[in-house]
């Protein structure tokens, strides 16, 4: 377990496979044939049009008495986080106590064509349908992706995608694939629930605090052209004097002291950032002499009358 203050994070177990385990019989034969080259194997992989599958024997085996047991060879530990807690809830379990979950599977990619085929068709693992969900930054570096059991994703997609969909995002003009992976992978982050439940009605969202600083700078001016492609428009060789906007609360929010045990990071679907204790009610009364502040939609909120305890900034919301 990992500890954060007095809060401890539990662990579960999940399966981790690689694309070799998803080979068809013909691909296995080519790989084992010394007269065949790697190019022959890659060509056969590229020709595949069927749904990839991983046999049940890689998840379970039978002992000498014929009893089916878990195959621990392909299991890895995973700390709890939002997605793990959803999977536990899916199985009517409460705490992460090193139990085996099949809702989440990691897949190491050695063959790009197999990854694209999984993205297109999904994959069957021990007869259950899985889809390619995301990849954390660390997984991208290690050519690994996260698969989710299809029915688990479908029943929890509103929580994981916060109401968004690939279709809707593309209708709005699309987005950088790396950013999409980073945001959808946020529920995979290791995290713990605070001891005190956060009441969403005691939270508010505000625009970040930004000021302008004037100074001598060098800069790169990147602008889009008529086709939406970005180019370097104006890059002076010498220092020039400019006003530079500085966002002091970039990715940061605040909470009343005592609401959370300490400063922390928050991670959830399309939502992340740092949270720091700051008595903004005391500041509002003794310094600003005004307890009303505009939220992100310019509606006035009285932080005292409405018992606001948490203030998030728009830079913490992704999309």
């Amino acid at each position: 377990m990992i500890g954060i203050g007095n809060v401890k994070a539990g662990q579960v177990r999940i399966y981790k496979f690689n694309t070799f385990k998803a080979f068809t019989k013909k691909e296995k034969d080519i790989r084992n044939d010394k007269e065949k080259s790697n190019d022959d194997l890659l060509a056969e992989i590229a020709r595949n049009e069927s749904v990839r599958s991983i046999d049940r024997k890689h998840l379970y085996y039978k002992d000498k008495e014929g009893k089916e047991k878990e195959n621990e060879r392909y299991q890895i530990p995973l700390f709890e986080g939002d997605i793990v807690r959803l999977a536990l809830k899916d199985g009517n379990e409460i705490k992460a106590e090193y139990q085996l979950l099949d809702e989440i599977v990691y897949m190491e990619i050695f063959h790009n064509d197999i990854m694209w085929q999984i993205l297109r068709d999904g994959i069957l693992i021990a007869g259950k349908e899985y889809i390619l969900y995301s990849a954390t930054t660390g997984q991208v570096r290690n050519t690994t992706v996260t698969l989710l059991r299809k029915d688990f994703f479908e029943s929890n997609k509103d929580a994981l995608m916060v109401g968004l969909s690939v279709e809707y995002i593309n209708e709005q003009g699309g987005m950088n694939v790396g950013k999409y992976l980073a945001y959808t992978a946020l529920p995979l982050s290791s995290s713990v629930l605070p001891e005190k439940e956060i009441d969403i009605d005691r939270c508010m969202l505000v625009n970040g605090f930004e000021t302008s600083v004037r100074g001598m700078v060098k800069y790169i001016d990147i602008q889009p052209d008529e086709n939406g492609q970005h180019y370097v428009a104006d890059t002076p060789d010498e220092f020039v004097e400019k006003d530079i906007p500085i966002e002091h609360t970039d990715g940061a929010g605040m909470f009343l002291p005592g609401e959370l045990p300490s400063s922390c990071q928050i991670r959830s679907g399309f939502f992340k950032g740092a949270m720091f204790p700051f008595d903004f009610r005391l500041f509002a009364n003794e310094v600003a002499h005004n307890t009303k502040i505009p939220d992100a939609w310019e509606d006035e909120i009285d932080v005292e009358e409405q018992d606001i305890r948490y203030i998030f900034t728009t830079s913490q919301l992704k999309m």
Side-chain angles (χ1 to χ4, degrees):
M1 284 191 163
I2 57 171
I4 302 175
N6 295 319
V7 185
K8 294 187 181 295
Q11 284 182 305
V12 296
R13 290 172 292 134
I14 64 170
Y15 284 106
K16 181 179 179 181
F17 299 113
N18 59 51
T19 46
F20 286 102
K21 296 293 180 289
F23 274 11
T24 64
K25 183 181 183 305
K26 191 170 184 180
E27 289 162 357
K28 291 176 185 176
D29 292 340
I30 293 173
R31 184 172 181 242
N32 294 327
D33 189 339
K34 294 181 180 179
E35 296 183 3
K36 300 287 186 179
S37 68
N38 192 55
D39 289 339
D40 294 326
L41 175 60
L42 295 178
E44 179 62 28
I45 289 172
R47 283 193 290 269
N48 178 69
E49 294 184 357
S50 61
V51 177
R52 293 274 170 184
S53 65
I54 294 178
D55 197 271
R56 185 179 175 83
K57 69 182 180 182
H58 296 301
L59 287 78
Y60 304 97
Y61 71 95
K62 289 187 177 180
D63 63 13
K64 294 178 180 179
E65 298 176 356
K67 294 181 179 178
E68 193 171 64
K69 293 191 173 182
E70 298 170 1
N71 190 342
E72 296 182 357
R73 180 178 178 183
Y74 302 108
Q75 294 178 16
I76 60 169
L78 181 67
F79 280 115
E80 69 171 298
D82 269 5
I83 203 163
V84 168
R85 287 187 284 269
L86 284 172
L88 289 170
K89 187 178 178 182
D90 187 66
N92 296 316
E93 299 185 59
I94 300 173
K95 294 174 64 177
E97 296 178 328
Y98 212 58
Q99 56 268 68
L100 178 65
L101 303 180
D102 71 349
E103 287 86 352
I104 309 160
V105 173
Y106 285 177
M107 173 74 79
E108 193 170 3
I109 305 298
F110 290 103
H111 310 87
N112 285 339
D113 278 328
I114 292 182
M115 183 192 72
W116 289 113
Q117 290 163 14
I118 293 173
L119 185 62
R120 180 191 69 201
D121 305 321
I123 184 171
L124 293 172
I125 301 177
K128 296 179 182 178
E129 289 185 78
Y130 287 78
I131 60 169
L132 198 156
Y133 169 65
S134 187
T136 67
T137 304
Q139 286 181 327
V140 170
R141 286 196 296 268
N142 293 293
T143 62
T144 300
V145 297
T146 297
L147 310 176
L148 293 185
R149 209 179 66 209
K150 187 176 180 180
D151 63 327
F152 167 71
F153 174 77
E154 290 296 333
S155 61
N156 291 283
K157 65 182 177 183
D158 285 340
L160 294 170
M161 297 294 294
V162 292
L164 295 169
S165 67
V166 172
E167 293 75 19
Y168 179 77
I169 292 170
N170 285 335
E171 285 172 6
Q172 309 310 307
M175 68 179 296
N176 177 281
V177 174
K179 289 287 188 183
Y180 175 82
L181 292 176
Y183 298 159
T184 52
L186 285 171
L188 286 161
S189 303
S190 301
S191 64
V192 293
L193 292 174
E195 293 177 339
K196 181 188 290 187
E197 187 172 330
I198 295 175
D199 183 351
I200 195 170
D201 291 325
R202 305 282 77 80
C203 304
M204 71 176 294
L205 179 70
V206 301
N207 291 313
F209 175 53
E210 187 177 283
T211 60
S212 182
V213 175
R214 190 164 186 82
M216 301 297 292
V217 298
K218 277 191 174 182
Y219 67 92
I220 298 174
D221 187 16
I222 299 176
Q223 297 290 340
D225 62 20
E226 62 275 9
N227 297 316
Q229 300 296 313
H230 287 75
Y231 66 98
V232 177
D234 177 22
T235 308
D237 293 329
E238 304 298 324
F239 281 90
V240 295
E241 190 174 21
K242 284 181 70 70
D243 289 316
I244 306 298
I246 304 295
E247 189 173 340
H248 301 278
T249 55
D250 186 18
M254 63 193 76
F255 59 89
L256 292 178
E259 288 297 314
L260 296 173
S262 65
S263 300
C264 62
Q265 288 282 331
I266 52 174
R267 291 288 187 274
S268 193
F270 293 85
F271 185 44
K272 70 170 184 174
M275 294 294 289
F276 300 98
F278 175 64
D279 198 336
F280 50 84
R281 290 193 199 172
L282 183 66
F283 182 89
N285 279 294
E286 296 191 359
V287 180
H289 305 294
N290 174 32
T291 58
K292 296 179 180 178
I293 58 175
D295 65 11
W297 298 271
E298 299 301 323
D299 294 324
E300 272 201 342
I301 304 293
D302 192 314
V303 297
E304 206 158 62
E305 281 188 12
Q306 295 184 238
D307 193 20
I308 299 300
R309 303 173 189 178
Y310 303 86
I311 295 180
F312 302 112
T313 54
T314 50
S315 59
Q316 294 178 288
L317 298 180
K318 308 306 171 184
M319 299 295 290

